Amino acid sequence: AQKITQTQPGMFVQEKEAVTLDCTYDTSDQSYGLFWYKQPSSGEMIFLIYQGSYDEQNATEGRYSLNFQKARKSANLVISASQLGDSAMYFCAIRGSRLTFGEGTQLTVNP
Amino acid sequence: DTGVSQNPRHKITKRGQNVTFRCDPISEHNRLYWYRQTLGQGPEFLTYFQNEAQLEKSRLLSDRFSAERPKGSFSTLEIQRTEQGDSAMYLCASRSGVGAISGYTFGSGTRLTVV
C-alpha cells in the first residue's frame, strides 16, 4: 500500500515570498512517481509538477520546484515568488497502479 | 483535445434516488479513473478502467456503486439508493498509459448533494 502524508493543513505566505509545502510518502515500490496538484475553489485539479523515483535532479516547472529527498521519503513543493492566484488547496500524490493523494494543504497568499 | 469532460457539474438528489454521472476522457487516453472527494479531504480512489476493462475497484465502492466503460471511451458512474454520506465531489481522470511520466488529466468534477 502507498501513503502520502501532508502535515500542514494550512499555510500562509506574503505575496512575492517563497513557500514550502511538505509531503512525505511511504511505498514498497522501487519505481514510483510523485505528483503535485493545485485545486482552486472551482474544484478542478491542475497538474503542477512530477518527480520520478529514479530522477537524479529535482524537478522544476517555472515557479514550482520539487525538493526530492529519497532517503527521507519526502517530496516538498517549493513555490517561489508567490502570487495571489496561488491561493488554493495543494495535493501531493504518489503513483502506483493509480494515484494516492494526501489530505492537502490550504495555501493562502496575503497581499 | 478538449480535456476531460464531466456531466453534470452539479446534482442535487433526494435520499434513496439513483444518480448517474458521465465522464468523457481525452480521446487518446485508454486509462480512466474515478475518485471521490469530500470537503477538506484529498481525492479517494474508487475504480479504474483500461480501455473497457475495469481493472481495480476500491473497497469504498460498495454494491450501490457501479461503473462502466462499455466501448472504452466514455464512462458512467451510477449510485443506487443514494445516502447522505454519498454527498461529495466525484472526479474523473484519464491518462494515456504510455511512458512513465504520462500525467493524469482531471475533469472539473460532479458535485453531488443528497438531501
Side-chain angles (χ1 to χ4, degrees):
Chain A
Q2 298 178 317
K3 185 178 180 181
I4 292 286
T5 302
Q6 294 181 255
T7 57
Q8 305 156 313
M11 288 286 286
F12 294 86
V13 65
Q14 288 297 121
E15 194 177 7
K16 299 180 185 178
E17 292 186 351
V19 63
T20 298
L21 306 184
D22 294 342
C23 170
T24 57
Y25 61 91
D26 191 21
T27 181
S28 56
D29 293 344
Q30 294 300 310
S31 177
Y32 51 90
L34 295 154
F35 294 77
W36 277 92
Y37 283 85
K38 172 184 178 181
Q39 188 177 43
S41 57
S42 57
E44 64 203 280
M45 296 286 283
I46 302 168
F47 167 74
L48 296 179
I49 196 166
Y50 168 86
Q51 179 85 42
S53 57
Y54 290 116
D55 294 340
E56 294 186 352
Q57 292 196 334
N58 288 341
T60 60
E61 290 285 348
R63 295 186 298 112
Y64 304 108
S65 60
L66 202 153
N67 184 1
F68 182 48
Q69 298 185 46
K70 194 170 181 178
R72 297 181 62 183
K73 294 191 173 181
S74 75
N76 298 338
L77 177 70
V78 180
I79 305 174
S80 62
S82 296
Q83 301 172 355
L84 295 178
D86 293 336
S87 294
M89 280 289 284
Y90 288 79
F91 291 98
C92 181
I94 187 167
R95 185 195 66 222
S97 60
R98 28 76 170 192
L99 286 181
T100 299
F101 288 85
E103 294 196 349
T105 296
Q106 177 69 51
L107 176 66
T108 302
V109 180
N110 294 317
Chain B
D1 179 358
T2 57
V4 178
S5 176
Q6 291 189 248
N7 288 288
R9 288 295 309 276
H10 303 275
K11 178 71 176 178
I12 300 174
T13 190
K14 291 184 178 179
R15 189 176 53 185
Q17 297 293 305
N18 299 344
V19 294
T20 300
F21 311 141
R22 177 175 170 130
C23 172
D24 288 88
I26 292 173
S27 57
E28 62 266 30
H29 285 184
N30 64 349
R31 299 187 184 190
L32 186 149
Y33 303 79
W34 284 100
Y35 284 83
R36 181 174 71 185
Q37 186 180 22
T38 53
L39 199 61
Q41 302 294 314
E44 296 174 296
F45 170 76
L46 291 178
T47 189
Y48 145 54
F49 291 85
Q50 182 167 317
N51 299 312
E52 65 275 12
Q54 190 174 18
L55 297 186
E56 190 175 348
K57 291 195 296 186
S58 165
R59 57 183 170 80
L60 293 175
L61 211 67
S62 75
D63 56 5
R64 296 185 298 107
F65 287 69
S66 62
E68 293 183 342
R69 195 183 183 198
K71 297 182 180 179
S73 56
F74 73 91
S75 176
T76 58
L77 177 67
E78 180 183 16
I79 309 174
Q80 295 181 327
R81 305 180 304 280
T82 52
E83 303 173 354
Q84 286 188 323
D86 297 332
S87 295
M89 174 79 87
Y90 290 83
L91 292 165
C92 176
S94 70
R95 66 186 282 249
S96 69
V98 175
I101 63 169
S102 58
Y104 295 69
T105 302
F106 281 82
S108 297
T110 294
R111 185 171 295 282
L112 173 67
T113 303
V114 181
V115 297

